[in-house]
Amino acid sequence: MSGANKGTRAVVAVSVTLLALGAAPARAQPSSDGKPERAWARGVPKQNQEQALELFRVGNALLKESIFVQASEKYRQALALWDHPAIHYNLALALMNLDQPIEVHEHLVAALRFGAEPLEAEKFEYARNYKTLIENQLARVEVACDTPGAVVTLDNKTLFTAPGRYSGLVRPGAHSISATLAGYLPSDENRTLLPGETANLDLKLFTAGDLTRYRRRWSAAMPWLVMGAGAAVAGGGALLHVQSRDKFAAFDAGIQECGGCVPSSPLASQLNQGNLMQRAAIGGYALGGAALVTGAILAYLNQPESYRIDPTQLTQTPERVSILPVLGGGSGGVQALLRF
């Protein structure tokens, strides 16, 4: 048997010893000496009070016989006529035996709201103790959402429409909390809560654009640097091409001047240099063209790719200032680290 179940059974066992303590709510009626009505009776017609009192007594009789379902129904009927703390108290006792801890807590809170007077001191203390025991057996969920129009749900049951907040008790175990709104990505939280644990959730909604980022395989400048290098090499090849053409022209002019003679060494050197420059120019054209093509391919492959980030990356606030103690050398102080 789990600890939570043991605690629940303990509450039920204690409540059985208190069934005879359910006092009628008649003491809340106006007194005969003309004193003002009690707060819990203000505005309630006398006929409603009398009908509620009769239902209350029937419920007490059923509760003493451990007929909890029917007793709780009589108490609910009585509450519809008169919202009296004593009726809430005895309804809580009946619900304890029906394994309804969350509703038990709600009715205990209602039973305590006017203090001890409508319950009598002893039962007021019992109610406070029951309330504390149940709170230790249940878990609490506190949810906030500031996106206007977002519908916040807990285990598929609507809590509120944002902006708003909710605080309430839940049974220990797995729970799902979500916020949804047209045009936004849903914000979902799944938590497994332990008895006595409190989950504080601040739900944030984001559009697909808010969570979309872009990345490239390489630096955006890299393909253009490759193409620029290719253009430079090709440009160098064009310059060599022009220079080789000048060398060939100078060689042809020298041959024409000597009437087709065997070229001298300086003239032959012009031809050799022209051939070398021409071959270098062709190599420059080939290398530069290859670099230009490679750069174009890299630019195509390096187009930005979209990806989605985790919403927590937008909701987490980085620590800007860290203060650390500094001890040693017979002195002390603090060290502050600022992040920008």
Side-chain angles (χ1 to χ4, degrees), residues 10-23 60 63-64 75 89-90 93 96-97 108 122-127 129-130:
V11 172
V12 174
V14 173
S15 69
V16 170
T17 66
L18 298 174
L19 296 180
L21 297 178
N60 286 349
L63 190 59
K64 291 178 182 179
Y75 291 137
Y89 175 80
N90 274 19
L93 294 181
M96 285 181 191
N97 295 275
L108 289 175
E122 186 178 20
K123 280 178 286 185
F124 180 78
E125 288 303 317
Y126 281 131
N129 292 336
Y130 287 161

Side-chain angles (χ1 to χ4, degrees), residues 1-14 96 99-102 104-105 108 129-140 169-173 175 193-198:
M1 182 186 300
S2 66
N5 290 337
K6 289 180 180 179
T8 302
R9 294 203 174 189
V11 172
V12 174
V14 173
M96 285 181 191
D99 190 27
Q100 301 292 331
I102 296 174
V104 167
H105 184 269
L108 289 175
N129 292 336
Y130 287 161
K131 176 176 173 291
T132 300
L133 181 58
I134 290 175
E135 288 173 348
N136 291 334
Q137 294 173 353
L138 298 175
R140 180 173 292 277
L169 296 173
V170 295
R171 290 176 181 267
H175 296 277
L193 302 178
L194 300 176
E197 182 180 0
T198 297

Side-chain angles (χ1 to χ4, degrees), residues 39-63:
W40 54 91
R42 189 173 297 122
V44 182
K46 185 175 181 181
Q47 181 180 359
N48 284 23
Q49 294 185 24
E50 291 174 350
Q51 292 177 6
L53 179 57
E54 181 58 31
L55 289 168
F56 181 77
R57 289 169 175 163
V58 174
N60 286 349
L62 293 169
L63 190 59

Side-chain angles (χ1 to χ4, degrees), residues 74-307:
K74 293 299 180 182
Y75 291 137
R76 293 184 198 279
Q77 294 174 13
L79 284 174
L81 296 167
W82 189 2
D83 188 16
H84 192 289
I87 305 176
H88 282 288
Y89 175 80
N90 274 19
L91 176 55
L93 294 181
L95 293 173
M96 285 181 191
N97 295 275
L98 297 176
D99 190 27
Q100 301 292 331
I102 296 174
E103 192 175 357
V104 167
H105 184 269
E106 294 173 357
H107 287 289
L108 289 175
V109 170
L112 294 168
R113 71 184 185 276
F114 292 111
E117 187 176 1
L119 294 180
E120 299 176 354
E122 186 178 20
K123 280 178 286 185
F124 180 78
E125 288 303 317
Y126 281 131
R128 287 207 307 181
N129 292 336
Y130 287 161
K131 176 176 173 291
T132 300
L133 181 58
I134 290 175
E135 288 173 348
N136 291 334
Q137 294 173 353
L138 298 175
R140 180 173 292 277
V141 172
E142 296 184 355
V143 186
C145 183
D146 296 328
T147 305
V151 177
V152 179
T153 62
L154 170 63
D155 297 331
N156 298 319
K157 296 180 180 179
T158 300
L159 298 180
F160 61 89
T161 298
R165 305 183 67 87
Y166 169 83
S167 178
L169 296 173
V170 295
R171 290 176 181 267
H175 296 277
S176 62
I177 305 96
S178 67
T180 56
L181 179 62
Y184 290 80
L185 298 173
S187 177
D188 298 314
E189 293 278 353
N190 295 304
R191 297 289 184 89
T192 299
L193 302 178
L194 300 176
E197 182 180 0
T198 297
N200 291 285
L201 304 173
D202 188 3
L203 300 180
K204 303 291 185 182
L205 289 177
F206 301 98
T207 64
D210 294 333
L211 302 180
T212 300
R213 297 291 183 271
Y214 296 90
R215 59 190 169 198
R216 300 175 185 269
R217 298 186 181 186
W218 311 284
S219 167
M222 192 267 283
W224 303 104
L225 291 175
V226 172
M227 286 191 285
V233 172
L239 178 61
L240 290 173
H241 194 173
V242 171
Q243 291 177 344
S244 69
R245 186 179 58 188
D246 293 341
K247 295 295 183 181
F248 290 143
F251 176 79
D252 291 341
I255 294 297
Q256 289 178 359
E257 287 179 2
C258 68
C261 62
V262 175
S264 62
S265 295
L267 196 58
S269 176
Q270 294 285 346
L271 179 62
N272 292 333
Q273 290 179 11
N275 289 328
L276 288 173
M277 289 180 180
Q278 187 178 60
R279 286 194 292 271
I282 294 173
Y285 289 146
L287 182 59
L292 286 170
V293 172
T294 300
I297 294 173
L298 292 177
Y300 175 78
L301 295 176
N302 202 38
Q303 295 181 77
E305 299 176 343
S306 64
Y307 68 98

